[in-house]
Amino acid sequence: MIERWNRDQVLALAPDAPSRKAAQGVSSPGKWSGAGATAEAVWGECAGSGSKPYRACVDLSEPAYRCSCPSRKFPCKHALGLLLLWSADAVPTAEEPADWVGEWLDQ
């Protein structure tokens, strides 16, 4: 099991100060659905401005990030916001990842 990261460790991953600020804006549980975590990964769907939520997941072993948002920053605010939720113990533990997460992890 990978030890849960603290808030400072998560914010240190941000590419710049605006990304840190934006991540904190999407780190409230009400913005996320279908979130879960296993020993290897954290994932969830974040409501955005479009009709479909952004799907974000983080492979905790590398770490590696994936999100369906159009941001060119890595990690994006959604991945960082999800990690902030996870660091605050606000993401439920799951037996196995959602199908779309499993497909990414297998690649």
Side-chain angles (χ1 to χ4, degrees):
M1 182 74 179
I2 291 175
E3 189 176 320
R4 191 179 309 273
W5 304 340
N6 67 40
R7 181 179 177 81
D8 290 340
Q9 287 172 301
V10 172
L11 292 175
L13 299 169
D16 53 30
S19 295
R20 282 191 289 278
K21 184 172 181 169
Q24 292 176 69
V26 295
S27 66
S28 64
K31 292 209 177 269
W32 291 88
S33 61
T38 61
E40 305 83 46
V42 182
W43 64 89
E45 297 184 5
C46 184
S49 53
S51 59
K52 284 183 155 178
Y54 295 124
R55 287 181 159 182
C57 56
V58 179
D59 178 339
L60 297 170
S61 62
E62 303 216 6
Y65 317 95
R66 181 132 187 208
C67 186
S68 60
C69 80
S71 175
R72 293 197 177 130
K73 294 181 180 181
F74 290 98
C76 70
K77 69 179 182 181
H78 304 104
L80 290 167
L82 180 61
L83 285 171
L84 285 171
L85 269 183
W86 175 67
S87 75
D89 202 16
V91 175
T93 301
E95 290 295 312
E96 55 187 57
D99 290 345
W100 59 272
V101 178
E103 288 169 16
W104 177 62
L105 291 172
D106 290 343
Q107 288 178 2

